[in-house]
C-alpha cells in the first residue's frame, strides 16, 4: 500500500480568491469582461456625482490599443467628488476595501467591481490601472499608476505624481487595459448605456467606441434624486456579530447608551423597555455582558414590535418625474405614467419599489407573452438573468393583463426600480433580484398602480374611437339630408344647404365630442370619393 497523501493547508487573500474565481464577479470571458469593466467604472462615476448632489457629466472611451491582440483601454471620467490621494492606492488596489460598506444606498455593494477589472487587466494584459483625481477645493491633481499584489491583497504603486490645477476641475479619470471581445460585447454595452440613460435623464453621458461611433445622451432635466445619507443600523436588522462589531468600534459605557447611540429608532424610553424585556440592567457596563446576555439582547431587538420603521434617508428613489422624463426621452410614448410606492422594510432595511409604464409612440412591440421589462436595482440596469428575476416572475405570473385591456404583442414597456440599503441579489454578479416575499408583494402592487392608469387611458381611447366611428357613420348622411331638406324647405337653395351642412356638423360634434374640424375632414373625403 502506498503512503497516505498529506493534506496541505494554507490561507489565501481575498485578491487571490477572486483572481482564481473571477467568474463569480462577472469576468467569465472577454466579452463579458469588457461589459463588466465599463459597467463598474460608470457606476462608480455616477455614485461619485449624483449621490453627492452633483449633476453627472460622464465621459467614456473604449479604444483598441494593440493591432494583433484584442487589448482595449477603457477610460471613464466623471466630475464627481474625487478621491483623497492617500486613499487612491487602497481604493483601486485592495480587494474588499470600499467607501460603500455603510448603511447607505449605493450602486455598488461589495467593493469588488473596479478591483476585479484591475485584476482582470493584470491577468490578461499585464498593464496597471491609471488614476487621475482631485477633490473640490484641492489645488492639485494627483496621478497614480498601480497594480494589485495578489498574494498580499495590497496595492503596488508603480508611479505617482501631482501637478497644480490651472482650472477648477474635480472628479476622477480611471483607465484600465484588458483583453476583450468588442464585437460580442458591443450590443450589451450599448444596451447598458441606453438603459442607464433612461434612469439618469439628469446626466450627460457620452461614449466613444472602437468603431469611432459617438453615443450621446444629453441631460434633459435639471432635477436630481435626493442623495442618500448614511444611517445607523435598525434594531430589526441586527445579529450577534453586528452587535459585537458596534460594541468593538465605539466607546459606549453602558448598554443603554449603546442602544440609544448605536441604533436608529431607539430613544430613552424604548431602550429601557428593550433592556427590561431582555433582563439586562441599563447601567451595566458593556464589557461585563455575557454571551447569553448579548444573544438575549439581539433576540429582543429583532422581536420588538413598537420600534419605528427604518429611516428612508439612506435610500434615494428616482421619483416619478425622473422616470417619466427618461421614458419620454427614449420611447416618446402616447401614454406614460410612473409611481413610487410607500417605503417598506426587509430584514431591518428600508426599500422602495417604483414603476413606470410607456405605451405607444415609438415603444417597440413586446413579446407574445409579456411586455418589454426594464429592471433596475439602486439605479443599476439589470441585463442578464431576466428569467430568474422576481420582477419577471411577477409580470408573467401575478398580473392578469386582460383585466387591464392589454393583449400581447403590444407596444408597451414596464420599468421597475427597487432601491434599498440591502438589495437581495441572487449572486455577486448583481444581475437579478431574488424572490423575497416583501419585495415581490411591492412589485405586484406598484405594477397594479401603473396598469390601472393605463386601463383608464385605454378605456378612454376605446370610447373615443367608438364615438369617432359613430361620428363618421352619421357624417356620411349629411350631404343627402342637407340636399333633401334644401329642396323641401328652400326650393333647393345652395346657401340654405351650406348652412344646414354646417349646422349638422355642429350637432354631431356636440353629441360625440369629436372636433368639428375632424368631421369636416371626413365630410371632405366623402365629397372627394363621390
Amino acid at each position: 500500500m502506498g503512503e497516505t497523501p498529506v493534506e496541505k493547508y494554507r490561507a489565501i487573500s481575498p485578491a487571490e480568491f477572486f483572481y482564481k474565481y473571477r467568474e463569480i464577479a462577472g469576468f467569465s470571458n472577454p466579452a463579458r469582461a469588457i461589459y463588466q469593466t465599463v459597467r463598474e467604472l460608470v457606476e462608480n462615476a455616477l455614485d461619485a456625482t449624483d449621490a453627492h448632489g452633483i449633476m453627472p457629466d460622464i465621459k467614456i472611451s473604449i479604444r483598441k490599443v494593440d493591432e494583433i491582440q484584442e487589448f482595449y483601454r477603457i477610460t471613464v471620467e466623471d466630475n464627481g467628488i474625487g478621491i483623497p490621494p492617500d486613499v487612491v492606492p487602497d481604493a483601486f488596489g485592495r480587494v474588499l476595501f470600499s467607501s460603500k460598506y455603510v448603511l447607505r444606498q449605493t450602486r455598488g455593494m461589495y467593493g469588488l467591481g473596479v478591483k476585479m477589472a484591475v485584476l482582470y487587466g493584470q491577468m490578461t494584459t499585464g498593464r496597471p490601472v491609471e488614476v487621475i483625481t482631485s477633490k473640490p477645493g484641492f489645488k492639485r491633481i494627483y496621478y497614480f499608476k498601480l497594480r494589485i499584489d495578489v498574494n498580499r491583497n495590497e496595492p503596488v504603486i508603480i508611479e505617482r505624481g501631482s501637478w497644480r490645477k490651472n482650472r477648477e476641475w474635480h472628479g476622477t479619470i480611471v483607465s484600465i487595459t484588458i483583453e476583450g471581445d468588442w464585437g460580442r460585447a458591443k450590443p450589451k454595452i450599448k444596451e447598458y448605456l441606453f438603459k442607464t440613460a433612461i434612469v439618469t435623464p439628469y446626466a450627460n453621458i457620452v461614449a466613444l467606441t472602437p468603431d469611432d461611433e459617438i453615443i450621446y445622451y444629453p441631460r434633459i432635466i435639471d432635477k436630481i434624486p435626493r442623495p442618500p445619507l448614511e444611517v445607523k443600523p435598525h434594531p430589526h436588522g441586527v445579529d450577534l456579530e453586528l452587535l459585537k462589531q458596534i460594541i468593538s468600534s465605539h466607546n459606549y459605557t453602558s448598554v443603554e447608551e449603546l442602544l440609544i447611540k448605536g441604533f436608529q429608532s431607539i430613544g430613552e424610553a424604548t431602550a429601557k423597555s428593550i433592556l427590561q424585556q431582555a433582563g439586562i440592567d441599563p447601567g451595566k457596563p458593556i464589557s461585563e455582558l455575557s454571551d447569553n446576555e448579548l444573544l438575549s439582547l439581539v433576540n429582543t431587538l429583532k422581536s420588538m414590535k413598537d420600534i419605528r420603521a427604518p429611516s428612508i434617508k439612506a435610500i434615494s428613489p428616482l421619483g416619478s418625474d425622473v422616470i417619466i422624463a427618461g421614458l419620454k426621452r427614449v420611447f416618446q410614448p402616447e401614454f406614460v405614467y410612473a409611481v413610487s410606492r410607500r417605503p417598506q422594510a426587509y430584514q431591518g432595511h428600508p426599500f422602495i419599489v417604483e414603476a413606470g409604464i410607456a405605451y405607444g409612440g415609438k415603444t417597440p412591440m413586446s413579446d407574445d407573452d409579456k411586455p418589454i421589462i426594464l429592471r433596475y436595482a439602486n439605479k443599476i440596469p439589470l441585463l442578464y438573468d431576466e428569467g430568474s428575476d422576481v420582477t419577471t416572475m411577477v409580470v408573467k405570473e401575478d398580473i392578469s393583463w386582460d383585466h387591464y385591456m392589454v393583449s400581447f404583442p403590444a407596444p408597451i414597456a414596464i420599468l421597475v426600480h427597487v432601491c434599498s440599503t440591502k438589495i437581495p441579489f441572487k449572486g455577486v454578479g448583481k444581475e437579478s433580484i431574488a424572490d423575497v416575499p416583501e419585495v415581490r408583494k411591492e412589485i405586484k402592487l406598484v405594477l397594479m398602480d401603473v396598469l390601472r392608469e393605463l386601463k383608464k387611458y385605454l378605456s378612454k381611447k376605446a370610447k373615443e374611437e367608438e364615438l369617432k366611428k359613430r361620428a363618421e357613420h352619421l357624417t356620411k348622411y349629411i350631404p343627402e339630408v342637407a340636399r333633401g331638406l334644401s329642396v323641401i324647405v328652400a326650393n333647393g337653395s345652395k346657401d340654405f344647404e351650406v348652412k344646414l351642412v354646417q349646422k349638422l356638423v355642429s350637432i354631431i360634434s356636440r353629441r360625440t365630442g369629436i372636433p368639428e374640424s375632424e368631421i369636416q375632414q371626413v365630410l371632405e373625403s366623402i365629397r372627394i370619393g363621390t
Side-chain angles (χ1 to χ4, degrees), residues 65 110 363 399 511:
V65 294
Y110 306 127
T363 309
I399 301 296
R511 293 293 180 88

Side-chain angles (χ1 to χ4, degrees), residues 389-451:
D389 189 276
V390 64
T391 297
T392 305
M393 296 178 188
V394 172
V395 167
K396 297 187 72 172
E397 300 171 12
D398 298 352
I399 301 296
S400 300
W401 291 94
D402 290 342
H403 175 72
Y404 300 102
M405 301 177 65
V406 176
S407 57
F408 298 110
I412 182 172
I414 294 285
L415 182 154
V416 175
H417 176 230
V418 181
C419 62
S420 177
T421 51
K422 183 182 180 181
I423 298 288
F425 286 117
K426 296 192 73 172
V428 179
K430 303 179 296 183
E431 289 290 355
S432 67
I433 299 175
D435 186 6
V436 175
E438 297 93 330
V439 177
R440 182 166 186 156
K441 176 184 175 183
E442 284 299 302
I443 292 174
K444 179 180 178 180
L445 291 173
V446 79
L447 287 179
M448 291 170 65
D449 285 343
V450 297
L451 286 170

Side-chain angles (χ1 to χ4, degrees), residues 20-190:
K20 291 177 179 290
Y21 305 106
R22 59 187 180 274
E23 296 83 3
I24 294 175
F27 289 78
S28 53
N29 57 64
R32 185 71 183 268
I34 195 170
Y35 156 74
Q36 199 71 25
T37 300
V38 170
R39 171 181 162 171
E40 297 293 351
L41 291 177
V42 169
E43 286 165 11
N44 283 352
L46 288 169
D47 271 340
T49 49
D50 66 6
H52 299 274
I54 300 171
M55 292 287 184
D57 290 318
I58 310 298
K59 301 173 184 176
I60 305 151
S61 170
I62 308 170
R63 306 296 295 175
K64 189 174 182 182
V65 294
D66 193 296
E67 293 298 324
I68 300 174
Q69 304 178 86
E70 292 291 306
F71 288 179
Y72 294 87
R73 181 180 175 89
I74 302 166
T75 301
V76 174
E77 176 182 351
D78 65 62
N79 61 324
I81 59 168
I83 306 170
D86 59 311
V87 174
V88 170
D90 283 330
F92 291 89
R94 189 186 298 275
V95 176
L96 302 183
F97 176 91
S98 176
S99 65
K100 299 179 179 181
Y101 301 142
V102 294
L103 274 179
R104 182 186 69 200
Q105 175 187 325
T106 58
R107 288 176 173 84
M109 294 176 65
Y110 306 127
L112 252 187
V114 72
K115 269 81 80 174
M116 279 305 309
V118 174
L119 279 173
Y120 187 81
Q122 286 182 206
M123 295 161 52
T124 57
T125 71
R127 303 188 187 185
V129 60
E130 296 180 49
V131 183
I132 298 172
T133 189
S134 184
K135 292 182 69 64
F138 277 31
K139 295 181 179 179
R140 302 191 71 80
I141 296 173
Y142 298 89
Y143 168 78
F144 291 84
K145 183 185 290 186
L146 54 88
R147 65 176 73 247
I148 299 174
D149 184 323
V150 174
N151 293 325
R152 296 174 177 270
N153 189 32
E154 292 178 352
V156 177
I157 300 174
I158 299 170
E159 187 179 333
R160 67 188 303 170
S162 70
W163 57 89
R164 183 174 291 277
K165 289 183 185 179
N166 55 18
R167 61 185 177 90
E168 186 44 49
W169 176 83
H170 57 82
T172 302
I173 305 171
V174 183
S175 294
I176 300 176
T177 303
I178 66 168
E179 179 187 25
D181 185 339
W182 171 249
R184 288 174 55 210
K186 178 180 177 178
K188 277 296 180 186
I189 291 176
K190 295 183 74 171

Side-chain angles (χ1 to χ4, degrees), residues 194-212:
F194 168 76
K195 290 184 175 179
T196 297
I198 292 177
V199 292
T200 57
Y202 50 83
N204 280 321
I205 300 176
V206 60
L208 177 64
T209 75
D211 304 323
D212 289 328

